[in-house]
Amino acid sequence: MSTSTATDTAASTPEGPEIEVRGLYKSFGDNEVLRGIDLEVRQGEVVCVIGPSGSGKSTLLRCVNLLEEPTKGQVFVGGTEVTDPDVDIDAVRRRIGMVFQQFNLFPHLTVTENLTLPQRRVLRRDKAEAARVAAENLERVGLSEKATAYPSSLSGGQQQRVAIARALAMGPEVMLFDEPTSALDPELVGDVLAVMRVLANEGMTMMVVTHEMSFAREVADRVVFMDGGVIVEQGAPAQVIGDPRHERTRHFLSRLLDPARAEVPEETEETSDQVGKADQ
């Protein structure tokens, strides 16, 4: 969505951000993955989070809906503190749609059944209403003709679009995307990004962990660069991607945007220890 649209939307919601993260820390044993994150996402804003593997991007996203429990700090969604021990987390999660790297579709169910099952179990919609909502959202992602197909007959890009439709069928106020195109063949990436672009234009609040710089440059209202569990810098895409202020950001982008010119790094004890670790 355009920056002007995001500004207008934010201005109309003076009550506060849709997502707010305050002083967030997360450790796995001795490994401190997040080290004091402060971040706000306004209603209707698209925020793309970029950074190297192991920088804490995915962990930050998973802390927003408490798939990972923070070690310290607070997370608010729509003004409700997700990290409050007494919060009804299931009620909060019904307001948040999440799309993962893997599609997580039930292989023994048709596409429509994959969309209607969570509606009926979580939202208690009847069969007819769930089917109607499923059909509407399959149309939104351009897959109406696949309603009776099984996941095994779909391409990776189609399966990810079904996963997006499934999340949308729950009526979320916020959508979280965790590297939604990383498991796809390059020729399938565009269809998924096109769906996300439409959602952004419709005003959906979105927080997207991605390595797709063209998408971040075109669609994001704000880009956040993370490294070492902290936010190094954030701002408009033209600033962070086009003219980054910090050397760490410049180094990351140079390796990502022009990998053929990257030099083989010298192995240190620290980098050796990190080999094989997944992005936390």
Side-chain angles (χ1 to χ4, degrees):
M1 67 182 293
S2 66
T3 303
S4 60
T5 302
T7 302
D8 294 343
T9 304
S12 66
T13 55
E15 65 274 10
E18 191 68 29
I19 299 172
E20 184 177 7
V21 177
R22 300 179 185 171
L24 190 66
Y25 289 78
K26 176 61 181 177
S27 297
F28 295 95
D30 294 332
N31 184 20
E32 193 172 47
V33 177
L34 298 177
R35 301 188 290 125
I37 300 292
D38 293 301
L39 181 66
E40 293 185 357
V41 180
R42 306 294 301 188
Q43 184 178 18
E45 189 177 22
V46 179
V47 173
C48 285
V49 184
I50 65 174
S53 176
S55 60
K57 310 182 300 295
S58 293
T59 298
L60 171 60
L61 207 66
R62 292 171 67 86
C63 283
V64 170
N65 64 357
L66 223 61
L67 289 178
E68 295 289 354
E69 187 172 348
T71 304
K72 185 170 65 173
Q74 294 174 293
V75 177
F76 297 82
V77 176
T80 299
E81 185 182 350
V82 177
T83 44
D84 185 335
D86 297 323
V87 73
D88 183 348
I89 189 60
D90 291 332
V92 174
R93 284 178 178 152
R94 284 196 286 271
R95 302 162 59 184
I96 306 171
M98 186 156 184
V99 178
F100 299 88
Q101 298 177 31
Q102 301 300 325
F103 323 123
N104 298 327
L105 301 178
F106 293 110
H108 62 291
L109 300 181
T110 66
V111 165
T112 293
E113 289 168 341
N114 266 280
L115 268 67
T116 57
L117 180 63
Q119 294 183 65
R120 297 182 67 186
R121 289 193 174 179
V122 178
L123 301 181
R124 303 300 181 186
R125 288 175 179 158
D126 62 37
K127 184 175 181 180
E129 176 68 3
R132 182 189 66 78
V133 173
E136 287 180 354
N137 284 286
L138 285 175
E139 184 176 2
R140 290 176 77 182
V141 302
L143 289 175
S144 295
E145 75 283 0
K146 300 295 184 181
T148 59
Y150 286 88
S152 61
S153 69
L154 306 180
S155 70
Q158 290 171 332
Q159 291 187 60
Q160 190 61 293
R161 286 152 63 193
V162 170
I164 294 173
R166 179 180 57 188
L168 292 173
M170 303 297 286
E173 300 169 13
V174 173
M175 286 287 287
L176 309 178
F177 293 87
D178 186 7
E179 295 278 14
T181 62
S182 64
L184 302 180
D185 292 333
E187 66 269 22
L188 303 176
V189 168
D191 291 341
V192 173
L193 294 181
V195 170
M196 296 170 63
R197 190 175 293 110
V198 169
L199 294 179
N201 289 334
E202 290 176 352
M204 176 65 75
T205 305
M206 297 166 58
M207 191 169 170
V208 185
V209 170
T210 185
H211 61 276
E212 300 289 346
M213 291 302 105
S214 60
F215 175 84
R217 190 190 301 268
E218 176 187 350
V219 179
D221 297 297
R222 185 154 42 98
V223 173
V224 174
F225 172 67
M226 290 183 63
D227 193 15
V230 301
I231 293 176
V232 177
E233 66 176 299
Q234 59 179 303
Q239 182 262 301
V240 176
I241 299 176
D243 187 25
R245 296 189 178 97
H246 291 264
E247 177 58 33
R248 292 161 74 185
T249 315
R250 290 193 291 269
H251 178 70
F252 168 76
L253 290 170
S254 68
R255 294 178 64 86
L256 187 67
L257 299 175
D258 193 7
R261 298 186 62 181
E263 298 179 357
V264 177
E266 294 183 7
E267 182 172 311
T268 65
E269 183 177 347
E270 180 180 1
T271 57
S272 178
D273 289 342
Q274 292 175 344
V275 171
K277 287 185 179 178
D279 182 12
Q280 300 292 334

